[in-house]
Amino acid sequence: MSAPGADPLGANPLAADTAMMRVAIEAAGAADPRDVPVGAVVFDADGRELARAANAREALGDPTAHAEVLALRRAAEVHGDGWRLENATLAVTLEPCTMCAGALVLARVGRLVFGAWEPKTGAVGSLWDVVRDRRLNHRPEVRGGVLEPECAALLDAFFRAQR
Ligand SMILES: [Zn+2]
């Protein structure tokens, strides 16, 4: 047991989720001004940050450059255990799409924490539920709606400025 406050991502999983989401929000802030501000961060089992990324679809001209995919790639590079990210947590400011939900299942991510719901394209409960499909042999633990107002506000500000 660590002393209270010694480990910001410590024993209380709900507090840890909130702390991780704050990092994802920070990551979203690094998005190119042309890109929808979505941020993702991967943490190892001890709560250490492995990698973070912002959506860079416009910046990279890459349809697959969603924040989650970029963060998973970077995390696997630094993790030193091949491509598997078992016991890792991915925190992302927006409910993942089908591509990203598929990628995090393939990466064997242990836990997914997301912020805002995405009713139009969400694949973690809104439109599909890819990560909890019983036909798949790996199903991450999921918690959605963490710091939802802050995560949604990022997107609202972006789309308001686009008009
Ligand atoms: Zn995606």
Side-chain angles (χ1 to χ4, degrees):
M1 280 293 283
S2 55
D7 176 7
L9 304 178
N12 179 347
L14 301 188
D17 291 348
T18 305
M20 289 191 278
M21 191 56 68
R22 292 205 190 285
V23 182
I25 289 170
E26 200 180 295
D32 185 283
R34 292 168 300 162
D35 272 303
V36 179
V38 177
V41 190
V42 180
F43 296 88
D44 72 8
D46 300 319
R48 274 186 302 256
E49 181 180 329
L50 294 174
R52 64 169 75 185
N55 172 37
R57 200 167 51 170
E58 302 293 339
L60 299 176
D62 176 353
T64 71
H66 288 191
E68 300 95 311
V69 168
L70 296 175
L72 288 172
R73 281 191 187 137
R74 288 174 197 161
E77 273 169 31
V78 301
H79 190 51
D81 183 27
W83 52 268
R84 284 180 194 80
L85 293 167
E86 273 166 71
N87 304 319
T89 296
L90 182 132
V92 56
T93 55
L94 183 65
E95 182 183 356
C97 70
T98 44
M99 172 182 71
C100 294
L104 64 95
V105 169
L106 292 174
R108 310 267 202 276
V109 165
R111 184 169 164 81
L112 165 68
V113 178
F114 70 87
W117 297 88
E118 173 48 281
K120 292 196 198 95
T121 60
V124 186
S126 286
L127 204 51
W128 295 282
D129 198 351
V130 170
V131 300
R132 282 166 293 198
D133 190 315
R134 294 199 157 275
R135 292 166 293 185
L136 297 175
N137 61 8
H138 176 79
R139 291 187 295 276
E141 202 182 299
V142 176
R143 184 161 168 240
V146 176
L147 295 181
E148 183 180 15
E150 288 92 327
C151 292
L154 275 173
L155 299 167
D156 290 345
F158 175 81
F159 288 112
R160 219 178 299 122
Q162 295 276 322
R163 276 186 230 122

